[in-house]
Amino acid sequence: MTTDTQTSRTVAEKFLERLGRQDRDGIQELFSEEIDWYVPDSTAMPWTGRRTRREEVAPYFTTMWSHFAPGQSKVVLERFIVDGGDVVLLAVFTHTAAPTGKEFTTPVALHLAVEDGRIARLHVYEDTLAVAEAFNAG
């Protein structure tokens, strides 16, 4: 079934709102049972990689957030593009790696695919080298 642009926008707005509150369980509710989730993999970042099930969403955020210094993150949403079931969010993320104290900034693109009112796909495109280097103590 195809998803209309307004439904996709509403789901993406809920995703962003819950992300801003760090509501991991609320975020997880927005996802389909089976998902296509991809965040470029790095051994320096244990939250990265593929996910295929809804129940893997909340632990992703718990793990990721625990690696960032609390209160030192900034997200600037630059574009919000919706076309049918596809949503593209263009942003700039700035975080501080908790283990090293190093700050990093990376442009980020998130591609969400909404099907039947739920997020079925989340792919993240970011400067994984900049992120990995922030976690490198050397």
Side-chain angles (χ1 to χ4, degrees):
M1 179 177 171
T2 59
T3 300
D4 66 85
T5 297
Q6 187 54 51
T7 299
S8 297
R9 176 175 290 282
T10 299
V11 170
E13 287 171 346
K14 287 180 184 177
F15 173 79
L16 290 172
E17 187 266 328
R18 293 173 188 186
L19 189 63
R21 287 195 330 246
Q22 291 194 349
D23 178 2
R24 67 185 198 105
D25 295 323
I27 295 168
Q28 182 169 283
E29 286 177 356
L30 297 173
F31 282 80
S32 300
E33 186 62 37
E34 293 183 11
I35 59 175
D36 173 13
W37 174 296
Y38 180 66
V39 176
D41 207 359
S42 169
T43 56
M45 303 175 294
W47 62 89
T48 61
R50 293 202 175 272
R51 306 287 188 282
T52 59
R53 309 284 306 155
R54 176 190 303 148
E55 59 269 12
E56 295 173 295
V57 172
Y60 166 88
F61 288 104
T62 301
T63 302
M64 181 183 67
W65 290 330
S66 72
H67 285 80
F68 296 153
Q72 296 185 34
S73 293
K74 181 180 175 187
V75 175
V76 176
L77 182 62
E78 295 182 335
R79 299 279 186 279
F80 189 118
I81 305 161
V82 185
D83 182 15
D86 290 303
V87 179
V88 177
L89 304 170
L90 302 175
V92 176
F93 290 178
T94 301
H95 299 291
T96 300
T100 64
K102 293 180 185 177
E103 182 180 273
F104 64 93
T105 299
T106 177
V108 177
L110 283 87
H111 178 202
L112 306 175
V114 178
E115 296 175 3
D116 298 328
R118 295 204 178 265
I119 301 169
R121 179 189 317 124
L122 179 145
H123 287 193
V124 175
Y125 306 93
E126 64 185 351
D127 183 351
T128 54
L129 180 60
V131 179
E133 286 177 346
F135 285 90
N136 183 353

